[in-house]
Amino acid sequence: MKTIIYILQKEFIQVFRDKTMLPMIFFMPIIQLIVLVNAATFEMNSINLVVVDKDLSTSSRQLVNKFKGSEFYHLKESTFSLKDAEDQILHRKADAILHIHKGFEQDLITENNGKIQLLVNAINSTAAGLINAYTTMIISSYNNQVRAEMINMIQARPVKQIKVSTSFWYNPEMNYKTFMLPGILVILVTAIGMILTAINLVREKEMGTIEQINVTPIRKHHFLIGKLLPFWIIAIFELAFGLLIGKVLYQVPFVGSIPLLFLFASIYILVALGIGLLISTLANSQQQVMFIAFFFLIVFILMSGIFTPVESMPYWAQKVNVINPFSYFMKAIRMIMLKGSGFFDVLKEMLSLFVYAFIVLSLAVWRYRKVA
Amino acid sequence: MIQKQNIIIVKNLVKKFGIFVANDHLNFEVREGEIFGFLGANGAGKTTAMRIICGLSLPTSGEIKVAGFDIYKEREKIKRNIGYMSQKFSLYPNLTIRENINFFGGIYGLSRTEIKTRTTNLLEKLQFTHAANKLIREIPLGWMQKLAFSIAILHKPKIAFLDEPTGGVDPITRRQFWEMIYEAAEQGITIFVTTHYMDEAEYCDRVSIMVDGRIEALDSPAKLKEKYAAESMNDVFLKLARIQLHESV
């Protein structure tokens, strides 16, 4: 027990004496939270739309005006040539073409059936999906309006309609930042915990000081506790610091219990540190650490559900996510922060992480040898 | 018993790395309180054998006892009784002299007061008191070596293992370093030292000379010189190496 204190003392002196460490601890979260939270958004703000209105009727103009009125669309150009419009997409000046055929209004009145063509640049399929959805929404709202007007003209009394009123729970303003911030925090805390731990241990290998440690009667687990605890504390601090930035910069709501989030995080960080420790037993230099950590981080982050919901991934990918520590915390931090989930709601994730931490730490401790 | 007890007993130590035999059936004993020189050219297998005896590496086969403990079953007990100074410099460069002493004292389980008094004594003896708060990376190599040795015997071990402790330091510092070794030996610490400076071999009570993973000679420097009809240990070493060369041709 006493030896652990000596190791802790040494580690903290070294961490705070290291000139690259403090900037990493303080500036990394600030920069990530400012840049990434703002940049990594899926909201489409200015869809460049080219209108090819070959009908030039009241109805077609009404429809075009609907798009003009929307804050999401930027009406790039009106043209009569579909070829021109296609060129615009080809040269990446436009994202979508709204093509209204000649006779649109007539068809609408006589056959009760108007046809519109929407052409979307789908190089980025996510963006294309969003454009399609937005456009469909506008067109169907126009459609409802037209139907109501036409029926009213005939019947002279208001028609009964089913109205859908949507309310978005847990993130009522559909604020992407509210969604992204917890995700970025998860990445931050993991990267800090995992990489710092691994680098710290490998640095002892590089310097040769690990030999000097291994020749002492120090107990393996005392040494490792002394090594991990500082980074556990730093990672927890990082989470608190990040939440504070979120509160100050983005007024991100915090519906759930803060102690519960930290309880969850404290188990989660054990997993991150355990993976870092495991990496350090596999690597002999800091470059190797970075390479292995990079691999893990990229795969885990992209599969974690930070951008795309895990539920929409293929079945096998969802199964693979069982070994992805990010996915547990990503889910839980959003549940706790945005939804106000309680202890029992995240218990399953918490227990899973507990088992995970146990396995990965045992593996790392087993791999770490005092004797070669 | 007339003779002093053997504190290190090595029987048939073999260490293989793949097909390469680094240590080929080594047999030797080190007596309590002596300065034992473990000589050999670079790559002769000195460091490999030393790391095994210190419990840093496991032998392929062989029977080894250090301070009465078995190398296979009681490594942690051995580690309590030995000090080790490695070839690669092994203090923390970004800690001060005082912090290094404090840390190693701590993990060897010395009490706060013990660490305090031993630190004061050590700094005074080395005349480092004024520089106690300097970082290790800021002090000259000679100082580091002396400090590393002092820290290796801070917990008063029975045996101190020194792996090429004087590599790269000037002759004056080497001389001072050997004075420190003698002083430690007088306090009853057995010294096991590897070196490839043959003049240093003269300072040892007994030396063994390793060539290509085998111990070719083991005796006091005087007797070895007599046996090989050599002027100095350097000549002894060259003769042994030459025999090897002829044999292999």
Side-chain angles (χ1 to χ4, degrees):
Chain A
M1 190 55 220
K2 231 181 69 196
T3 47
I4 298 179
I5 293 166
Y6 279 99
I7 300 167
L8 285 179
Q9 192 184 355
K10 162 191 159 277
E11 293 302 327
F12 274 113
I13 292 173
Q14 286 182 313
V15 165
F16 289 109
R17 197 166 280 164
D18 189 329
K19 287 200 177 63
T20 57
M21 208 67 135
L22 286 181
M24 226 167 127
I25 294 170
F26 286 100
F27 289 120
M28 211 164 93
I30 296 176
I31 290 169
Q32 282 201 347
L33 291 176
I34 290 176
V35 176
L36 290 182
V37 170
N38 281 306
T41 167
F42 277 157
E43 280 168 12
M44 301 284 304
N45 276 324
S46 54
I47 302 168
N48 287 319
L49 184 73
V50 177
V51 174
V52 183
D53 183 359
K54 290 182 180 161
D55 197 40
L56 284 177
S57 60
T58 320
S59 301
S60 73
R61 247 174 241 136
Q62 270 177 354
L63 177 60
V64 173
N65 279 337
K66 279 252 168 203
F67 282 96
K68 276 187 185 158
S70 160
E71 53 173 323
F72 297 117
Y73 289 88
H74 171 68
L75 211 59
K76 186 90 182 152
E77 208 182 307
S78 282
T79 169
F80 295 109
S81 151
L82 188 60
K83 181 84 182 50
D84 274 1
E86 279 170 359
D87 280 347
Q88 297 271 345
I89 284 199
L90 198 65
H91 295 109
R92 287 188 294 179
K93 286 188 184 127
D95 302 309
I97 303 170
L98 184 71
H99 184 194
I100 305 170
H101 293 269
K102 194 166 172 54
F104 167 71
E105 191 178 47
Q106 207 167 11
D107 287 350
L108 202 62
I109 293 165
T110 57
E111 290 171 34
N112 239 336
N113 186 0
K115 281 204 175 102
I116 302 166
Q117 187 183 25
L118 179 70
L119 299 154
V120 184
N121 176 4
I123 283 185
N124 181 340
S125 63
T126 316
L130 280 167
I131 293 173
N132 187 27
Y134 284 8
T135 311
T136 312
M137 237 160 77
I138 289 180
I139 294 172
S140 68
S141 109
Y142 169 75
N143 192 23
N144 284 337
Q145 195 186 324
V146 168
R147 279 185 57 207
E149 278 170 7
M150 280 166 64
I151 294 168
N152 284 351
M153 277 197 300
I154 299 161
Q155 298 190 337
R157 81 185 151 99
V159 72
K160 287 185 179 119
Q161 281 186 33
I162 296 175
K163 257 199 174 162
V164 180
S165 67
T166 319
S167 73
F168 296 100
W169 280 24
Y170 313 127
N171 187 358
E173 289 143 27
M174 288 283 274
N175 186 346
Y176 219 83
K177 288 166 190 163
T178 308
F179 178 69
M180 283 312 292
L181 186 113
I184 303 282
L185 269 179
V186 171
I187 294 180
L188 190 70
V189 168
T190 319
I192 284 269
M194 192 186 228
I195 294 176
L196 290 190
T197 305
I199 281 194
N200 178 283
L201 274 152
V202 165
R203 201 177 283 170
E204 296 239 5
K205 272 194 205 177
E206 282 182 341
M207 290 193 305
T209 43
I210 198 79
E211 289 268 275
Q212 203 64 44
I213 296 287
N214 287 346
V215 85
T216 68
I218 196 168
R219 294 270 196 75
K220 193 156 98 170
H221 63 273
H222 284 175
F223 177 65
L224 292 178
I225 290 171
K227 276 286 180 191
L228 294 186
L229 199 53
F231 298 103
W232 186 86
I233 293 169
I234 288 170
I236 289 278
F237 167 81
E238 207 70 14
L239 179 63
F241 187 56
L243 284 173
L244 193 71
I245 294 176
K247 197 86 210 160
V248 172
L249 285 185
Y250 304 109
Q251 290 83 43
V252 169
F254 202 117
V255 185
S257 141
I258 294 181
L260 176 64
L261 181 65
F262 277 88
L263 174 69
F264 196 95
S266 62
I267 298 170
Y268 172 73
I269 292 166
L270 287 181
V271 178
L273 299 185
I275 295 176
L277 187 59
L278 199 60
I279 292 174
S280 78
T281 64
L282 300 169
N284 286 314
S285 69
Q286 295 183 49
Q287 286 96 317
Q288 285 174 352
V289 164
M290 291 313 292
F291 196 75
I292 301 172
F294 180 74
F295 169 77
F296 272 109
L297 287 175
I298 288 285
V299 174
F300 282 170
I301 288 171
L302 290 181
M303 291 193 69
S304 68
I306 180 168
F307 301 122
T308 46
V310 174
E311 288 76 11
S312 63
M313 290 178 190
Y315 180 73
W316 62 264
Q318 295 186 30
K319 286 289 148 198
V320 171
N321 257 335
V322 169
I323 59 157
N324 182 355
F326 279 88
S327 69
Y328 296 96
F329 195 32
M330 200 68 80
K331 195 171 163 193
I333 194 173
R334 284 174 177 157
M335 280 169 79
I336 296 169
M337 277 181 72
L338 308 181
K339 199 173 166 186
S341 297
F343 180 76
F344 291 102
D345 301 316
V346 294
L347 185 63
K348 197 179 137 229
E349 278 77 21
M350 206 163 356
L351 288 177
S352 308
L353 280 178
F354 200 79
V355 173
Y356 201 144
F358 180 78
I359 293 172
V360 79
L361 282 171
S362 315
L363 210 60
V365 171
W366 170 74
R367 281 267 330 167
Y368 177 85
R369 298 275 160 82
K370 275 185 82 181
V371 54
Chain B
M1 266 230 272
I2 310 154
Q3 247 189 356
K4 283 205 169 175
Q5 268 187 314
N6 290 327
I7 198 158
I8 302 173
I9 302 164
V10 176
K11 278 184 193 152
N12 286 318
L13 163 60
V14 177
K15 177 72 177 183
K16 290 181 188 164
F17 296 105
I19 55 159
F20 174 69
V21 185
N23 294 149
D24 189 0
H25 293 90
L26 303 187
N27 284 289
F28 63 93
E29 286 95 33
V30 177
R31 294 174 199 146
E32 202 172 349
E34 75 174 340
I35 299 176
F36 188 85
F38 204 55
L39 315 187
N42 290 328
K46 296 171 303 203
T47 301
T48 306
M50 186 162 183
R51 285 170 50 87
I52 290 170
I53 300 166
C54 289
L56 281 172
S57 157
L58 281 173
T60 309
S61 65
E63 223 179 284
I64 298 141
K65 281 202 156 141
V66 179
F69 299 112
D70 184 77
I71 201 80
Y72 297 100
K73 294 180 209 132
E74 299 165 305
R75 270 199 304 278
E76 300 309 306
K77 281 181 187 157
I78 290 175
K79 285 173 183 173
R80 224 172 280 282
N81 289 293
I82 63 171
Y84 174 76
M85 177 184 167
S86 77
Q87 196 173 12
K88 212 171 164 186
F89 188 67
S90 51
L91 299 177
Y92 288 95
N94 55 357
L95 292 185
T96 65
I97 294 180
R98 193 188 294 282
E99 285 161 352
N100 266 291
I101 303 174
N102 194 44
F103 172 67
F104 283 107
I107 58 173
Y108 272 106
L110 303 183
S111 73
R112 291 247 171 228
T113 44
E114 267 177 316
I115 293 176
K116 224 176 158 185
T117 49
R118 286 187 203 186
T119 304
T120 317
N121 293 342
L122 192 157
L123 289 173
E124 267 171 26
K125 206 176 80 189
L126 294 176
Q127 297 174 325
F128 284 175
T129 312
H130 62 286
N133 296 321
K134 269 201 170 177
L135 297 183
I136 295 293
R137 63 163 173 253
E138 292 166 354
I139 67 174
L141 183 68
W143 287 32
M144 288 190 205
Q145 309 285 67
K146 288 187 203 167
L147 188 65
F149 177 62
S150 307
I151 289 177
I153 58 168
L154 188 71
H155 60 291
K156 303 198 168 136
K158 285 186 182 149
I159 315 162
F161 290 89
L162 315 174
D163 192 5
E164 297 188 4
T166 52
V169 300
D170 62 74
I172 298 169
T173 312
R174 263 171 67 192
R175 173 117 225 145
Q176 290 169 340
F177 195 90
W178 273 91
E179 276 162 20
M180 288 175 70
I181 292 180
Y182 273 120
E183 205 178 308
E186 269 164 32
Q187 287 165 17
I189 298 176
T190 308
I191 306 284
F192 186 102
V193 56
T194 74
T195 179
H196 50 238
Y197 292 115
M198 289 305 145
D199 58 323
E200 288 186 348
E202 314 264 2
Y203 305 144
C204 300
D205 294 323
R206 286 194 312 147
V207 297
S208 75
I209 298 178
M210 267 185 92
V211 182
D212 286 342
R214 285 192 301 274
I215 290 180
E216 290 297 329
L218 198 171
D219 217 324
S220 66
K223 283 198 181 138
L224 282 177
K225 279 186 273 189
E226 197 184 297
K227 184 176 169 192
Y228 291 93
E231 297 253 313
S232 65
M233 282 305 292
N234 209 22
D235 293 336
V236 174
F237 184 75
L238 287 175
K239 276 186 180 166
L240 275 168
R242 210 163 287 148
I243 294 167
Q244 274 300 310
L245 216 59
H246 285 302
E247 276 177 7
S248 61
V249 168

